[in-house]
Amino acid sequence: MPNDVLAQLAVLPGVADAAEEARAAVDALLWDRHTRTVGTELARRSALRGAWANAAMDGAEVPYEAIAAGQIEVSPMGDRISRVLALTTQAPSLVDIYARSPLQAWARMNTVLVAGTAPEQEVGRPRADSEAEDPLRLGGVPLAMHASQRLTVLADVFVSDTTAPAIVAAGVVPGELAVLRPFRQASGPVARASVRLSLAARGVDPDLL
């Protein structure tokens, strides 16, 4: 596979060791006897923790206990947290779509996050200009045309055959999405939620634990 981009990344210094270490940690969790007896509850709590951390990265910070208790305030911050939580809890229904059409999955993910708060022409659609949320202050928002092209390439790379470990793909996807900021709003939460879906779609963590 001469165009196996992920395989080329996997042999860079430090990448193979990091991927092996990450995979070992995942396997240790999944094969733990206690994990298998509390899988459903662990998945629920993982979704809560993931949503809490994801929203906090965008500045929507509240105590985790409030989210776990369902006590999310009615405010712009609370709305962002509720939407990220909705996206995380919907992840299982998106795995099959993500595995065959990441572009479609990313569009649906963005729709969950911004529908009703963004102009209709922006919901689930790549941005048409260089205006994009940048809460992490990454700077350098790529031109819309370049972002759209790279987004298509990223989707093709993810669904292509590769000899690279799935962990590598699960790292590349959110990194690219975070840099591209393909949507005018909520690209960050989409990027971070994609880790969970990438691992599930590649069969590493099918139960989204």
Side-chain angles (χ1 to χ4, degrees):
M1 286 180 281
N3 296 319
D4 190 343
V5 177
L6 294 176
Q8 295 174 46
L9 293 173
V11 297
L12 293 176
V15 174
D17 289 343
E20 184 176 349
E21 183 179 350
R23 181 59 193 255
V26 172
D27 287 345
L29 171 67
L30 297 183
W31 287 100
D32 182 86
R33 182 177 299 176
H34 180 65
T35 296
R36 295 198 295 272
T37 63
V38 296
T40 300
E41 175 61 14
L42 184 60
R44 185 189 71 82
R45 289 164 58 186
S46 174
L48 287 174
R49 286 278 181 186
W52 169 67
N54 195 345
M57 289 286 285
D58 268 5
E61 298 185 57
V62 300
Y64 168 73
E65 291 74 19
I67 294 180
Q71 299 171 348
I72 301 174
E73 64 181 26
V74 179
S75 68
M77 182 182 295
D79 181 64
R80 173 57 68 95
I81 293 170
S82 294
R83 288 172 180 269
V84 174
L85 180 58
L87 173 60
T88 307
T89 54
Q90 288 182 30
S93 67
L94 292 172
V95 173
D96 288 343
I97 298 171
Y98 193 93
R100 64 176 184 270
S101 179
L103 287 173
Q104 184 179 351
W106 293 326
R108 290 197 183 188
M109 293 161 75
N110 183 256
T111 298
V112 172
L113 292 166
V114 305
T117 65
E120 186 175 350
Q121 67 271 19
E122 295 179 8
V123 177
R125 294 181 175 87
R127 55 185 169 81
D129 53 32
S130 295
E131 296 295 322
E133 285 184 338
D134 189 19
L136 299 183
R137 300 181 181 177
L138 299 176
V141 178
L143 295 174
M145 178 180 67
H146 296 162
S148 179
Q149 292 171 346
R150 283 175 60 179
L151 192 66
T152 300
V153 171
L154 179 62
D156 290 342
V157 166
F158 184 79
V159 300
S160 297
D161 291 335
T162 180
T163 60
I167 291 287
V168 174
V172 168
V173 169
E176 272 289 282
L177 290 175
V179 171
L180 292 178
R181 279 146 290 176
F183 305 105
R184 199 162 192 176
Q185 297 182 43
S187 292
V190 170
R192 293 184 289 273
S194 291
V195 177
R196 200 175 284 267
L197 287 171
S198 294
L199 291 174
R202 288 298 183 94
V204 176
D205 180 21
D207 296 322
L208 296 149
L209 299 181

